[in-house]
Amino acid sequence: MKKFNNIGLVIADVQEYAPINILCEKYGGVFSEQFGDKLSVFEYKNKGGSVKISAVLCGIGKVNAAAATAYLIASAKCDAIINSGLSGGISSVRRGDYTIGTEYIEHDFDVSPLGYKKSFKPDQDCYIYKPDDTLFEAYSAIEGIISGVMVCGDKFVGSDDEKKQIKKDFSAVSCDMESAACASVCYKAKVPFIAVRRISDDAGDAAADSYISMNNLAEDKLINVVLKGIDNLL
């Protein structure tokens, strides 16, 4: 299995990032600030070995996620990127499930008035991004994890009508606000990528309350799944 030396984590939300603060202190890591974002760097160890982890608290949305990913690749010299966070469930998932993407698409990218299909990016050779095979294998080995198409956009999806449209257009399992943006940067930089996310809500009319209640817990459950996949790489 491919060996990674410096894995970058892109995490959007303060509560989602809270377990990283604990891990960084546990492993004697260093906290700093890069371009206004919090950066935690530590050496993660298990019985199989160790790997450097550089985790950025990027803020919510595609622009923030893309900027953080570019920093981790260009400045922090990460050789793999993992996006982690909560997602809305679109199909074949329930609240609390863990997911990995088979494809990453920006559902809100739309130049269809110019004659292109929705989400297609003119003059680019790719707009549907794939995960790295080695990373996908490592996370697929985790019991209970669900794989499928992940879509992202700069909008919290919280209505039954929006959910139905996304399901129709993309056959997605989940929606979020960062994954495909990270994937786009990694594709251009030729850096391995995967998104590992937890379902917090059903992306329907009651999504907001469901998301808020899970997010406010600031649990380490998702980060522990991220670490299980890293364990499988060591």
Side-chain angles (χ1 to χ4, degrees):
M1 186 171 284
K2 189 188 302 180
K3 173 69 174 177
F4 298 112
N5 298 309
N6 184 5
I7 295 176
L9 299 185
V10 179
I11 300 173
D13 185 88
V14 172
Q15 284 86 354
E16 293 169 349
Y17 195 85
I20 293 295
N21 296 323
I22 297 171
L23 282 172
C24 191
E25 291 180 357
K26 175 182 176 180
Y27 289 103
V30 177
F31 297 99
S32 64
E33 185 176 289
Q34 300 293 334
F35 301 108
D37 291 336
K38 185 172 185 178
L39 173 67
S40 303
V41 180
F42 56 95
E43 193 78 12
Y44 172 69
K45 301 176 182 178
N46 73 3
K47 293 181 180 179
S50 66
V51 65
K52 183 179 179 181
I53 292 180
S54 302
V56 170
L57 173 60
C58 70
I60 296 169
K62 293 195 299 181
V63 172
N64 288 331
T69 303
Y71 164 77
L72 287 172
I73 294 170
S75 297
K77 306 301 180 185
C78 292
D79 51 13
I81 300 292
I82 298 172
N83 170 235
S84 171
L86 300 181
S87 295
I90 301 297
S91 61
S92 305
V93 289
R94 298 177 297 177
R95 191 172 191 261
D97 284 343
Y98 299 95
T99 61
I100 52 175
T102 55
E103 296 179 339
Y104 305 97
I105 307 170
E106 295 173 61
H107 69 78
D108 63 342
F109 190 94
D110 189 358
V111 290
S112 57
L114 300 178
Y116 298 99
K117 65 185 294 187
K118 192 173 182 181
S119 296
F120 182 82
K121 296 181 176 181
D123 303 319
Q124 293 189 200
D125 63 353
C126 183
Y127 72 99
I128 299 175
Y129 308 104
K130 301 283 189 179
D132 173 73
D133 289 343
T134 298
L135 293 173
F136 191 83
E137 180 183 348
Y139 282 96
S140 295
I142 298 173
E143 183 179 358
I145 206 152
I146 297 168
S147 62
V149 177
M150 289 184 176
V151 298
C152 92
D154 279 324
K155 182 178 185 181
F156 183 89
V157 177
S159 79
D160 291 342
D161 289 342
E162 288 179 288
K163 176 180 177 177
K164 288 177 183 176
Q165 190 63 50
I166 289 174
K167 183 177 180 179
K168 178 182 177 182
D169 290 343
F170 303 102
S171 300
V173 297
S174 65
C175 60
D176 63 77
M177 298 178 69
E178 294 85 25
S179 61
C182 300
S184 176
V185 175
C186 288
Y187 173 78
K188 289 184 175 182
K190 296 181 173 57
V191 170
F193 171 79
I194 197 167
V196 184
R197 304 189 64 105
R198 189 183 186 203
I199 303 301
S200 60
D201 58 85
D202 69 354
D205 293 339
D209 288 342
S210 182
Y211 164 78
I212 290 169
S213 66
M214 181 178 286
N215 191 49
N216 284 346
L217 295 173
E219 296 176 299
D220 62 1
K221 292 182 178 180
L222 177 57
I223 290 300
N224 287 339
V225 171
V226 171
L227 293 178
K228 281 183 181 179
I230 293 175
D231 288 342
N232 290 339
L233 294 166
L234 298 178

